[in-house]
Amino acid sequence: MALTNDYLKRVYDGLAERCANEKEFLQAVEEVFESLQPVVEKHPEYEANGIMERLVEPERAIIFRVPWVDDSGKVQVNRGYRVQFNSAIGPYKGGLRFHPSVNLSVMKFLGFEQIFKNSLTGLPMGGGKGGSDFDPKGKSDREVMAFCQSFMNELYRHIGPDTDVPAGDIGVGAREVGYLFGQYKRLANEFTGVLTGKKVGSGGSLVRTQATGYGLCYYANEVLTHNGSSFEGKTVVISGSGNVAIYAVEKAQELGAKVVAMCDSSGYIYDPDGIKLDTVKDIKEVRRARIKEYVDVHPGATYTEGCSGIWTIKCDVALPCATQNEINEDSAKALIANGVQLVCEGANMPSTPEAIAAFQDAGVLFGPAKAANAGGVATSGLEMTQNSERIYWSAEEVDAKLHGIMKNIYKACVDAAEEAGKPGNLAVGANVAGFLKVADAMVWQGTV
Ligand code: NDP
Ligand code: 2IT
């Protein structure tokens, strides 16, 4: 689909010229704009208020030096980012990513997506994202701590429980959030809910660790059940083997599916008898080792170098949970040829535009990232509520709220898709439903 609406085309073309090098950001904006054409035509007040021009420009983007000393005594320097994209409906909220591929384009695409995702949760959270090109892989705990403390030495002046509340993402888990939180607490002399994903007992919420993966399966389950199907007996492929992937496997198995493959950035494992998650947790969560070690413990499984081959494995349901653009057109075609029924995105923007078009043309059910992986940030929102109230909810309470939120998001997507004249198109539904709330708040607040 191309942009035919004059206003959207003008704003997009201007952005493409100003941000010519930011290809991931432009990809995310184009996908949202394509969905919003009927909405912008129906609501002339959005053009009159310059909503789209303002929406694509972050309210603030901070880039900073992060110097730290490695174990050999050498000074290292990384680049830190925090993109505070939109605060129309609440304080900026979104994760921190530590990965060598991090650059301004990646930060801006993630921050932009976060605006609509957070809006879909129904909780009062604006959109933001941050991170660094620092690679925690292979670093000692002391090096990771030194980096996190230096990162927070700058970040702390830009965040706060009512201003901006970061959390984890790729390369940022409980260990990193702990070092970041400790340094914030020391600098600000405050124990507040300034970060989410904290350790349970130190301000963290039960179920936050599991929330993105569980929420993804709750959403996928809604899609399946509303299409006369379920996870029961389904063969599932889940890419990645990090936080999102591990808890997606756990919930999919609990719902009766057989998960046969997982991967890391080096390669993928295929276990036709079903993945033994305890082994994966031991390799990834306890030992921070490589997924290929799985086959040493389970000789019936195979390991193949390279991760894109995972999409050639026959499955009914595919849950990409690693990174952006991990499913290209060829991978999408391989999945379709093997009879995939549902693709539901755990990672952010894991399918290229060509892959999404291929799924839609083939009638494959498609759950877009903004909706399907919103359970993580939704539970971060629940952590913020618990911190503000200075109480903890039980695991059952948090899980029930998460489940309810994912059901509501599914319904909001279905209703908005219908309203936009694209019944059943959950990608359009997610963009429209997420956008309307933010756009109306921006109109209400005037030109700020
Ligand atoms: P983790 O760091 O825990 O795990 C990331 C996994 O993806 C690892 O297996 C990693 O392999 C793999 N991976 C990362 N980058 C690449 C790459 N460039 N190519 C191939 N494989 C890669 O991160 P999360 O599980 O937290 O995040 C996974 C995805 O889910 C991301 O897109 C993130 O933005 C998204 N997400 C995360 C949420 C959360 O709450 N954590 C919430 C919503 C979305 P390796 O170890 O080899 O690097
Ligand atoms: O992409 C995401 O939604 C996240 N990494 C989680 C953000 C959060 O604030 O919990």
Side-chain angles (χ1 to χ4, degrees):
M1 196 173 33
L3 285 173
T4 50
N5 175 273
D6 281 351
Y7 172 46
L8 287 171
K9 193 168 163 14
R10 197 167 65 245
V11 175
Y12 181 81
D13 288 348
L15 187 74
E17 209 174 301
R18 289 201 306 286
C19 304
N21 296 324
E22 299 173 6
K23 65 177 177 11
E24 292 87 358
F25 176 49
L26 291 172
Q27 180 184 334
V29 171
E30 190 172 13
E31 193 265 340
V32 169
F33 273 25
E34 281 177 357
S35 303
L36 295 180
Q37 302 199 95
V39 178
V40 165
E41 272 151 29
K42 200 162 138 191
H43 293 271
E45 72 271 23
Y46 295 153
E47 181 171 359
N49 284 278
I51 293 299
M52 307 315 290
E53 292 90 325
R54 288 196 272 148
L55 200 61
V56 296
E57 210 52 56
E59 290 177 17
R60 194 176 295 105
I62 301 136
I63 302 183
F64 50 98
R65 176 173 69 198
V66 189
W68 56 282
V69 178
D70 71 17
D71 284 348
S72 71
K74 191 169 178 302
V75 174
Q76 301 282 346
V77 179
N78 288 96
R79 191 172 287 175
Y81 300 85
R82 187 70 184 168
V83 177
Q84 297 179 330
F85 225 115
N86 192 299
S87 62
I89 63 167
Y92 310 108
K93 180 83 195 87
L96 296 171
R97 176 177 291 191
F98 292 168
H99 193 272
S101 63
V102 163
N103 57 35
L104 187 60
S105 174
V106 169
M107 294 287 95
K108 283 174 70 177
F109 114 66
L110 289 164
F112 184 74
E113 295 276 289
Q114 201 81 43
I115 302 169
F116 309 99
K117 184 197 304 193
N118 293 3
S119 167
L120 281 170
T121 66
L123 300 173
M125 299 184 291
K129 200 83 186 191
S132 174
D133 57 4
F134 174 74
D135 187 358
K137 222 177 280 161
K139 304 286 192 299
S140 69
D141 285 351
R142 194 211 60 81
E143 288 177 319
V144 171
M145 181 168 74
F147 174 81
C148 288
Q149 290 178 340
S150 180
F151 185 87
M152 188 53 82
N153 283 345
E154 175 58 35
L155 187 69
Y156 97 98
R157 69 185 91 249
H158 306 289
I159 62 176
D162 295 316
T163 305
D164 183 357
V165 183
D169 193 80
I170 291 177
V172 179
R175 174 181 61 171
E176 290 74 18
V177 170
Y179 295 147
L180 291 163
F181 181 73
Q183 187 70 355
Y184 180 88
K185 186 167 69 67
R186 184 173 189 194
L187 291 167
N189 195 27
E190 279 177 5
F191 192 116
T192 62
V194 69
L195 287 151
T196 58
K198 298 185 292 300
K199 189 176 159 66
V200 171
S202 296
S205 174
L206 287 161
V207 191
R208 175 62 189 88
T209 304
Q210 295 84 352
T212 312
Y214 281 18
L216 172 66
C217 289
Y218 292 148
Y219 188 89
N221 196 45
E222 287 299 298
V223 182
L224 289 168
T225 51
H226 283 86
N227 285 277
S229 185
S230 78
F231 264 114
E232 192 62 49
K234 292 280 185 301
T235 300
V236 179
V237 166
I238 299 186
S239 65
S241 47
N243 173 263
V244 180
I246 285 175
Y247 293 96
V249 173
E250 189 164 285
K251 186 55 74 175
Q253 289 179 340
E254 207 181 296
L255 294 171
K258 181 159 90 169
V259 182
V260 295
M262 295 181 80
C263 69
D264 59 22
S265 59
S266 308
Y268 67 91
I269 52 164
Y270 172 58
D271 188 338
D273 297 331
I275 296 280
K276 281 62 168 187
L277 194 57
D278 285 348
T279 307
V280 177
K281 284 185 179 176
D282 177 58
I283 295 169
K284 288 290 170 183
E285 292 186 335
V286 180
R287 296 192 287 113
R288 297 181 189 275
R290 307 306 295 162
I291 196 84
K292 74 171 168 213
E293 293 187 16
Y294 182 91
V295 298
D296 300 339
V297 189
H298 303 289
T302 55
Y303 172 75
T304 309
E305 282 290 330
C307 35
S308 65
I310 195 170
W311 306 119
T312 63
I313 297 170
K314 187 173 167 52
C315 62
D316 305 307
V317 176
L319 304 177
C321 295
T323 195
Q324 64 268 13
N325 293 327
E326 58 172 307
I327 302 185
N328 62 16
E329 189 174 10
D330 287 346
S331 297
K333 285 185 171 157
L335 283 164
I336 294 164
N338 280 326
V340 74
Q341 293 160 34
L342 167 67
V343 176
C344 215
E345 299 184 319
N348 285 305
M349 206 169 76
S351 314
T352 65
E354 297 77 23
I356 298 174
F359 292 138
Q360 287 172 343
D361 289 348
V364 173
L365 297 168
F366 181 73
K370 285 180 197 80
N373 75 29
V377 73
T379 307
S380 281
L382 301 177
E383 182 171 326
M384 289 165 72
T385 305
Q386 293 169 78
N387 291 164
S388 298
E389 289 193 43
R390 299 188 193 285
I391 51 157
Y392 291 120
W393 295 329
S394 68
E396 291 71 26
E397 279 175 281
V398 179
D399 191 43
K401 287 187 203 299
L402 167 64
H403 201 159
I405 289 170
M406 298 315 295
K407 285 182 166 206
N408 288 343
I409 293 176
Y410 174 74
K411 185 163 185 323
C413 294
V414 169
D415 292 349
E418 184 96 30
E419 179 86 23
K422 298 271 179 190
N425 187 329
L426 299 173
V428 167
N431 288 334
V432 170
F435 167 79
L436 284 174
K437 220 181 299 173
V438 174
D440 290 341
M442 289 173 75
V443 171
W444 174 65
Q445 289 169 29
T447 308
V448 288

